[in-house]
Amino acid sequence: MEKAGVIYGSEVPRIFTPPLRELTPDTTLGYEVIEFAENVLNINLHPWQKWLVIHALEVVDDPEDGWRLRFKNVQVLVARQNGKTTLSCVIALYFLYQLEVALVLGTAQDVSNAEDVWQHVVDMAQENEVLAESIKHVWYTNGSKRLQLVGNRDYRVRASNRKAGRGKSADLVLLDELREHQTWEAWAALSKTGMARKNALLWCMSNAGDGTSVVLRHFRMRAHAQLGDPDGIVKAMGESEPEADNSAEGSALGLFEWSAPPDAEPTDVKAWAQANPSLGYTIELSTLKAAQADDPADVFKTECLCQWVTSTVAPPFPVGSWDAGKDENSVIAEESPLYFGIDIAADRLHTSIAVCGKRADGAWHAELAEYRSGSGWLIKWLQTAAPNYPGGLKVALQSKGAPIASLMDVIAAIEGVEVIECCGKDVAGWCGRLYDAVSACDESSETDAVPVYHITQPALDLAANIAVTRPMGDGAWAWDRNKSMEDISPLVAVTMAFGAATQTVTSKQKLYDSIYEERGVLVV
């Protein structure tokens, strides 16, 4: 938006959970928050902040108490330095003084950040004559800072760890920079503090994350799925087919995302405005221009455009070789035997099945046959596919030291399935063979290995560009699921399929009908 030559940030987020009905002072607490900020705190919120509190604090009818908050979990994504801290302070004070809740819990991955927000709240309360009258005591002990109001109303600070919030029943939990939560431990502790509170709210504010932001990534993916996958990230990552939530009260998860579109050019000022709603108010256009000119591309995308960056590490294959192996017309020859590879992600949230075989020209072809959430579907998939292979459905997997190993006995017991185990030195050997075959796709490569080609599949392409390796001694290495920024089970499954295929390629065996005839290969 441009007024009198000044470009202003977008008041409305690019992606958001829509309200269930018209938002008025009777259907949202947001108008009260705005009035409280202006008349009590002497703070005039920016347009985007007013829009947010109106939409995020929507209420629904309740037969017992008349109303309750629609959302239990509010996820706000916005670029850095746009006023997240100020808004969190306003929300905390509103809950303490207007709603008179018993406990507000502030937390961040770095406890000092949570204490900064807490200190702002304390300062605002102490400097306000009306609010100061209700202050009973303030504790300044590091790690245990606490503001107590009359009526036993508290605002406490906790670090984001597995002990955070345990033993407490909080009405409002402020989670700053959820992008830094790289495990579920802190969330598991904090999110359950409101189970005994009818109107408990998790208020999460952050800028875009990366591949390590497992908690924020999960909720963003879930919200995008409920909204019909507006950016295509759900489909691209092979999740379940997205469906909009049309239930009577909608989801308890609310997403409000100020971000630049995924395909936006870094110099697109309109995209800057979409990610920086405080542009023209507290953020100057010249500041963003300087950041775009001087910052590394990934830094500018994450911090200033609120765009997710997943690849911040060097790819595991020689530069350009994975892309050189892309062939959208590549298929496995009808007469070729098929070998399947299976792997489960380190967090067990996804399972991958890959298939590998020979092309008509003698080169190899590998691709994802299936990529889905969880692993409960795997056994049924194999049971359904096995009858199509009279000589046995050949399935390769890492039999020790991998998540899939826990299911090996169950898989081996499926009638018609032949398990090919990969363990010990074979793990490094199979990784090395795939490395050589991918390298061979680059014409400048000096390897004499037979190349392996693939089609475009986002989940596999991502894994092949961010996978991290771990040493296994004497120059050998294997894929490291835990240290990789994203799920690399698609790449590990391809490694298993390719390893099995190349290990037994010289054996004489009957050629069976391709699975393509029976079900086709899912392109993800």
Side-chain angles (χ1 to χ4, degrees), residues 137-186:
H137 192 70
V138 181
W139 287 266
Y140 290 95
T141 305
N142 288 335
S144 299
K145 293 187 176 182
R146 175 183 176 190
L147 167 66
Q148 186 176 62
L149 306 181
V150 295
N152 293 319
R153 291 170 285 159
D154 284 355
Y155 178 7
R156 304 189 183 200
V157 176
R158 291 290 184 269
S160 291
N161 54 43
R162 62 186 301 176
K163 298 180 180 179
R166 292 193 181 275
K168 302 294 181 182
S169 292
D171 301 272
L172 172 67
V173 179
L174 301 173
L175 289 102
D176 186 43
E177 294 301 338
L178 192 61
R179 71 185 304 277
E180 299 301 332
H181 286 234
Q182 298 181 1
T183 72
W184 284 95
E185 286 188 348

Side-chain angles (χ1 to χ4, degrees), residues 90-153:
V90 171
I91 294 294
L93 288 167
Y94 171 78
F95 269 69
L96 284 169
Y97 282 90
Q98 289 293 105
L99 298 184
E100 297 184 336
V101 301
L103 177 61
V104 171
L105 198 61
T107 183
Q109 194 68 12
D110 184 345
V111 71
S112 64
N113 291 338
E115 290 179 340
D116 287 344
V117 178
W118 177 88
Q119 187 62 61
H120 281 302
V121 169
V122 171
D123 292 342
M124 293 167 70
Q126 290 177 330
E127 295 169 5
N128 186 293
E129 292 184 3
V130 176
L131 302 184
E133 292 180 357
S134 298
I135 297 177
K136 186 176 180 180
H137 192 70
V138 181
W139 287 266
Y140 290 95
T141 305
N142 288 335
S144 299
K145 293 187 176 182
R146 175 183 176 190
L147 167 66
Q148 186 176 62
L149 306 181
V150 295
N152 293 319
R153 291 170 285 159

